[in-house]
């Protein structure tokens, strides 16, 4: 049985078949963050659905090209209406912060990248992280948007009002409403029809908006204020120039995704995902625009379908303690509020500490498991209890993984031997259950249960070195989808030579560069600052770090060695106590310092 997904467009479960004739490549667009503030856990539930889809497809042998855009203009506050009203979310944030909206967007975009890396969205890891064509910013695709708008005008799907704004005329697209199942006459009308407004139908939605107050504006007819590269591209894409009636303004949110999906993936794609609130109006409007501008269709059993994506996948919303997330109730959580509440939500430290989260910090793999573990078509009810059970699950998996690594190490040199029948059978059963669950419309809850059951089986089997190696490799393969394991070593050796180099202030400064990413983490920033000064961090600075990983541990051991060498015994004792309270075992050997994490 291959992968089957629930297609919102047909409201049915369908076998997933890519458009690529060789059946290998999958083109996938997922709506990304609007970068006007920190992303909250409800946003991340949608991004994790996209991540689960991409990782599952890769696990099943597909080559996936996933694009997730950055919305940095045009997303209005009242976005449940097709022709959204209110204020641009970025303009509003910029006004409130007293900053330039482009600066605000860049700031929250980089904050988002840090959160996304922590939660391990694959699109923010490795080479994908630095590829701008996988993370298109709306403000850099104005030429493609204006090209689409011009085509919509040329093809008679759009019109310009007397303010120089362009609207999509929904009466021209009979399939409008197909994705969401909405009946147009029952819809709440869009932006209020004002005297000056020439909207033909209140349900028509804006492609190009004009508002002199808006902080981000582009003149479609002159290069002033444009990135030169973008203006040159506009001249190439619309050689005859954009319709003269269009005034200086900014794009509507929906046209952005139509333009970016086409620019970064091509005219038709296999998959498009988002949250359920994107179905209408956002994705309904994307379909209408892409068809109107480019006539994009995908093959379907009924012949062809007027949609640029074959499959549309939508995740349900997230509740906290059974209710809508609310700032007033204190149940509005950003990802960083939970990973490191010290910075913005000190009120969360005590309740989370009471549940055993050191310093109130929820480890990122625990938060990832919690947000991932409910089937995407069911509402996710988030609570601190959910975090506690997620932590238990992640710890079970992690400790089995660490133990397998130890078994492999202990038996190294004893000869590999063969995998026992009992272990081979357990792994086969585990794989079948895990894969079947994901094939069944991404039934992640069943897949995770299969994984934990396998861990339970491995815990009672007696494992030889070959068994341990096979089981470890197997857990790593499944973790390609689940992505919660810490694969760094739990034990190792810091060689004498390396210890000596830490005594050199120049070496420390150079290491600060390598660890620059830590500056964004409240508990690790002081470590980088110390290294930049050419110093080693103090015992207090090291004690403030939540997770002693290999890199922090090296610093702690180096600081202790240096304190001893410079006869600063008080400091050496402090560092020894720190390692002891964190249950790190340290042994001095002729080769260097051997360490073991709990
Ligand atoms: Zn979108």
């Amino acid at each position: 049985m291959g992968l089957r997904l629930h297609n919102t467009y047909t409201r049915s479960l369908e076998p997933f078949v890519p458009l690529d004739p060789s059946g290998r490549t999958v083109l996938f667009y997922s709506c990304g963050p609007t970068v006007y503030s920190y992303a909250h856990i409800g946003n991340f539930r949608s991004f994790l659905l996209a991540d689960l889809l991409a990782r599952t497809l890769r696990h099943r042998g597909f080559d996936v090209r996933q694009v997730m855009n950055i919305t940095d203009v045009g997303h209005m506050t009242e976005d449940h209406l097709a022709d959204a009203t209110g204020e641009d979310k970025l303009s509003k944030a910029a006004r409130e912060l007293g900053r330039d909206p482009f600066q605000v967007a860049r700031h929250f975009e980089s904050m988002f990248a840090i959160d996304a890396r922590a939660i391990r969205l694959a699109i923010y890891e490795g080479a994908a992280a630095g590829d701008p064509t996988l993370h298109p910013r709306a403000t850099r695709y104005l030429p493609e948007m204006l090209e689409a708008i011009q085509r919509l005008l040329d093809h008679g799907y759009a019109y310009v009002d007397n303010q120089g704004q362009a609207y999509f005329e929904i009466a021209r697209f009979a399939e409008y409403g197909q994705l969401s199942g909405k009946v147009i006459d029952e819809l709440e009308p869009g932006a209020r029809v004002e005297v000056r407004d020439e909207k033909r139908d209140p349900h028509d939605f804006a492609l190009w908006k004009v508002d002199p107050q808006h902080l981000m504006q582009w003149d479609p007819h002159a290069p002033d204020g444009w990135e030169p590269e973008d203006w040159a591209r506009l001249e190439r894409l619309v050689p005859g120039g954009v319709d003269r009636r269009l005034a200086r303004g900014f794009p509507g949110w929906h046209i952005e995704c139509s333009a970016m999906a086409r620019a970064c993936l091509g005219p038709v794609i296999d998959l498009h995902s988002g949250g359920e609130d994107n179905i209408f109006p956002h994705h309904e409007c994307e379909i209408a625009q892409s068809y109107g501008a480019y006539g994009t269709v995908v093959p379907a059993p009924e012949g062809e379908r007027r949609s640029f994506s074959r499959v549309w996948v939508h995740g349900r919303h997230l509740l906290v303690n059974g209710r809508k997330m609310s700032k007033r109730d204190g149940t509005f959580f950003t990802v960083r509020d939970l990973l490191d509440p010290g910075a913005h939500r000190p009120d969360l430290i005590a309740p989370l500490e009471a549940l055993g989260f050191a310093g109130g910090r929820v480890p990122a793999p625990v938060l990832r498991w919690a947000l991932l573990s409910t089937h995407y078509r069911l509402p996710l009810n988030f609570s601190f209890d959910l975090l506690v059970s997620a932590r238990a699950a992640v710890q079970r998996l992690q400790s089995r993984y660490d133990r397998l690594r130890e078994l492999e190490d202990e038996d190294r040199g004893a000869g590999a031997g063969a995998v026992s029948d009992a272990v081979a059978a357990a792994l086969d059963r585990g794989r079948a259950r895990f894969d079947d669950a994901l094939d069944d419309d991404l039934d992640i809850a069943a897949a995770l249960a299969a994984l934990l059951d396998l861990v339970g089986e491995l815990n009672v089997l007696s494992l030889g070195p070959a068994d341990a190696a096979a089981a470890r490799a197997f857990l790593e393969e499944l973790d390609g989808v689940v992505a919660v394991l810490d694969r760094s070593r739990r034990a190792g050796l810091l060689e004498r030579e390396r210890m000596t180099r830490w005594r050199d202030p120049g070496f420390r400064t150079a290491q600060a560069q390598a660890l620059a990413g830590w500056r964004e983490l409240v508990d690790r920033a002081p470590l980088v600052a110390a290294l930049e000064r050419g110093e080693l961090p103090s015992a207090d600075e090291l004690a403030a770090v939540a997770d002693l990983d290999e890199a922090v541990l090296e610093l702690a051991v180096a600081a202790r060695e240096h304190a001893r060498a410079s006869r600063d015994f008080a400091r050496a004792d402090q560092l020894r106590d720190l390692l002891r309270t964190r249950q790190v075992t340290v042994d001095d050997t002729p080769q260097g310092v051997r360490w073991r994490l709990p």
Side-chain angles (χ1 to χ4, degrees):
M1 188 179 83
L3 174 63
R4 300 195 311 158
L5 291 174
H6 183 267
N7 187 353
T8 309
Y9 197 95
T10 57
R11 294 163 190 73
S12 62
L13 210 55
E14 296 175 354
F16 178 75
V17 184
L19 296 162
D20 171 21
S22 77
R24 278 189 65 79
T25 305
V26 174
L27 302 177
F28 175 23
Y29 186 89
S30 38
C31 286
T34 301
V35 285
Y36 68 105
S37 67
Y38 298 111
H40 59 65
I41 56 174
N43 301 138
F44 262 90
R45 186 181 194 204
S46 289
F47 305 142
L48 276 166
L49 162 60
D51 189 61
L52 177 63
L53 254 172
R55 286 177 179 273
T56 299
L57 287 162
R58 286 186 188 117
H59 175 69
R60 295 310 249 152
F62 294 103
D63 287 330
V64 183
R65 180 169 168 82
Q66 185 195 359
V67 169
M68 193 165 97
N69 71 291
I70 300 288
T71 298
D72 53 1
V73 65
H75 188 172
M76 312 305 274
T77 48
E78 305 299 313
D79 62 7
H80 62 291
L81 302 170
D83 189 22
T85 54
E87 198 174 353
D88 186 307
K89 291 185 180 192
L90 258 151
S91 280
K92 182 165 181 272
R95 190 172 45 72
E96 286 167 359
L97 295 168
R99 302 261 300 274
D100 169 68
F102 288 94
Q103 283 174 2
V104 172
R106 289 300 83 81
H107 171 73
F108 286 115
E109 183 184 336
S110 60
M111 295 298 110
F112 179 76
I114 291 166
D115 294 345
R117 263 199 304 279
I119 295 294
R120 295 188 54 186
L121 299 189
I123 195 171
Y124 279 89
E125 289 184 335
D131 184 344
T133 67
L134 302 183
H135 305 270
R137 291 175 183 154
T139 48
R140 296 307 303 274
Y141 286 83
L142 267 296
E144 285 75 10
M145 297 172 204
L146 283 164
E147 184 204 13
I149 293 170
Q150 186 59 49
R151 282 170 172 269
L152 288 167
L153 290 166
D154 291 345
H155 300 168
Y157 284 92
Y159 58 93
V160 180
D161 73 1
N162 61 359
Q163 304 292 306
Q165 318 193 87
Y167 288 98
F168 187 95
E169 185 171 8
I170 60 158
R172 294 295 319 274
F173 186 60
E175 285 82 357
Y176 191 76
Q178 186 68 48
L179 179 74
S180 57
K182 298 228 184 242
V183 179
I184 304 310
D185 291 343
E186 293 170 4
L187 289 175
E188 192 178 345
R192 206 172 296 284
V193 183
E194 293 170 21
V195 183
R196 60 180 175 84
D197 205 350
E198 287 182 351
K199 255 167 86 169
R200 293 181 187 166
D201 180 319
H203 300 111
D204 291 349
F205 60 89
L207 302 164
W208 188 255
K209 291 168 181 268
V210 172
D211 175 0
Q213 303 295 319
H214 199 263
L215 297 170
M216 301 158 112
Q217 306 246 17
W218 290 265
D219 183 344
H221 316 292
D224 293 348
W226 282 80
E227 292 282 341
E229 206 182 298
D230 293 351
W231 176 257
R233 218 163 65 247
L234 177 62
E235 287 190 306
R236 220 169 37 244
L237 290 172
V238 194
V242 178
D243 191 307
R244 295 303 304 176
R245 293 169 300 163
L246 277 194
R248 190 177 144 81
F250 63 99
W253 175 37
H254 315 313
I255 195 69
E256 297 177 1
C257 284
S258 282
M260 287 185 280
R262 183 180 174 89
C264 300
L265 289 170
V268 287
I269 63 175
D270 297 292
L271 266 176
H272 195 313
S273 79
E276 63 179 335
D277 53 336
N278 288 152
I279 300 175
F280 187 89
H282 188 48
H283 292 163
E284 194 81 74
C285 297
E286 283 183 36
I287 291 173
Q289 295 163 152
S290 293
Y291 181 79
Y294 298 100
T296 46
V297 294
V298 287
E302 69 269 21
E304 58 182 30
R305 190 175 295 158
R306 292 179 170 185
S307 163
F308 69 102
S309 177
R310 183 184 259 182
V311 181
W312 292 83
V313 176
H314 293 98
R316 296 290 310 273
H317 56 273
L318 172 143
L319 301 168
V320 176
N321 305 328
R323 302 173 66 174
K324 214 174 155 215
M325 239 182 4
S326 140
K327 280 194 175 153
R328 209 179 41 199
D329 299 345
T331 57
F332 183 95
F333 303 126
T334 67
V335 160
R336 53 190 53 219
D337 287 343
L338 296 167
L339 299 186
D340 190 0
H344 299 285
R345 288 295 301 272
D347 60 307
L348 299 179
I349 296 177
L352 285 166
E353 263 186 336
L355 295 170
F357 292 102
R361 296 187 190 92
V362 178
V366 171
L367 183 56
R368 178 178 166 97
W369 183 291
L371 293 174
L372 195 65
S373 54
T374 300
H375 192 285
Y376 76 94
R377 288 207 288 131
L378 296 172
L380 164 63
N381 188 17
F382 183 84
S383 65
F384 285 3
D385 288 345
L386 177 65
L387 291 176
V388 170
S389 62
R391 178 180 57 194
V394 172
Q395 279 175 353
R396 260 181 87 196
L397 182 61
Q398 183 70 50
S399 60
R400 174 40 46 185
Y401 178 77
D402 294 339
R403 183 68 194 130
L404 291 171
R405 288 277 281 250
E406 279 175 7
L407 286 171
E408 269 185 281
D409 285 351
E410 281 167 14
D411 291 315
R412 194 160 287 161
V419 179
S420 72
D421 291 346
V423 170
L427 299 185
D428 283 348
R429 272 196 309 276
R431 176 189 302 281
R433 276 183 65 197
F434 186 83
D435 288 353
D436 286 353
L438 289 174
D439 275 355
D440 182 14
D441 196 25
L442 303 178
D443 188 349
I444 187 67
L448 295 178
L451 180 57
L452 291 177
D453 286 351
L454 173 69
V455 166
E457 281 190 67
L458 292 172
N459 283 345
V460 294
L461 286 169
S462 111
L463 305 178
D467 297 326
R472 196 254 311 146
F474 182 74
L475 290 190
E476 286 181 358
E477 189 193 331
L478 268 47
D479 192 58
V481 176
V482 181
V484 293
L485 279 179
D486 175 0
R487 301 190 198 183
S488 55
R489 291 180 306 144
R490 312 304 291 175
L493 172 75
L494 297 176
E495 294 90 352
R496 287 254 151 259
E497 190 262 346
R498 178 97 175 156
M499 287 297 101
T500 314
R501 297 185 70 189
W502 277 110
R503 296 197 189 144
D504 170 13
F507 178 74
R508 296 174 194 154
T509 316
Q511 291 303 299
Q513 302 242 317
L515 301 173
W518 286 5
R519 241 183 250 125
E520 310 292 350
L521 305 167
V522 173
D523 58 341
R524 294 188 181 205
L527 308 189
V528 187
L531 292 174
E532 275 172 339
R533 296 191 301 269
E535 296 166 12
L536 282 163
S538 70
D540 286 347
E541 286 166 340
L542 287 160
V545 176
D547 295 314
L548 279 199
D549 58 20
E550 210 175 324
V552 179
L553 193 91
E554 176 169 342
L555 274 178
V557 173
R560 174 171 158 265
E561 291 298 294
H562 183 67
R564 289 209 297 203
S566 39
R567 308 189 67 76
D568 184 348
F569 297 114
R571 188 171 180 190
D573 286 350
Q574 272 186 316
L575 288 155
R576 184 203 55 207
D577 291 346
L578 164 69
L579 293 169
R580 202 175 276 162
T581 51
R582 304 294 273 270
Q583 295 164 297
V584 183
T585 330
V586 180
D587 292 314
D588 293 302
T589 72
Q591 297 79 38
V593 179
R594 283 199 181 281
W595 53 270
R596 177 180 289 277
L597 287 169

